[in-house]
Amino acid sequence: MVEWITSSGLVPYDRALAFMEARVEAIHLGQADDCVWLLEHPPLYTAGTSARPGDLTDPGRFPVHQARRGGQYTYHGPGQRVVYVMLDLN
């Protein structure tokens, strides 16, 4: 069973990350179903493991959140729907 969640309004990145970490732990323990979450964030950048601060032309424009993923910077903001998938691949 997969639960689908659609959030209206903007979801702060820190709040989304905390929810996902808790949900993944609950899925791992067999206490929650897999989940697909559709949402939008306020303007921000996520920085992957290859992100270099010098690559941002206006570093103070939006908050920057370190992400545990590869790649460089990714912009997220209003009007851009993000899909987070939390699945037990075992």
Side-chain angles (χ1 to χ4, degrees):
M1 176 71 82
V2 176
E3 179 182 7
W4 286 79
I5 301 171
T6 302
S7 293
S8 60
L10 302 178
V11 178
Y13 184 78
D14 291 340
R15 194 175 103 208
L17 187 60
F19 172 87
M20 290 187 291
E21 288 174 344
R23 184 63 176 248
V24 166
E25 180 66 17
I27 292 168
H28 177 73
L29 294 173
Q31 299 171 346
D33 290 330
D34 294 343
C35 180
V36 177
W37 188 13
L38 296 97
L39 57 89
E40 294 178 37
H41 291 301
L44 62 92
Y45 291 113
T46 55
T49 55
S50 299
R52 296 177 303 200
D55 290 341
L56 289 177
T57 58
D58 190 359
R61 184 171 184 188
F62 303 122
V64 177
H65 298 271
Q66 298 300 314
R68 293 177 297 206
R69 60 161 175 77
Q72 296 180 4
Y73 291 102
T74 301
Y75 170 79
H76 301 283
Q80 178 193 44
R81 182 67 74 174
V82 179
V83 179
Y84 291 120
V85 179
M86 295 150 271
L87 301 174
D88 182 354
L89 298 178
N90 290 324

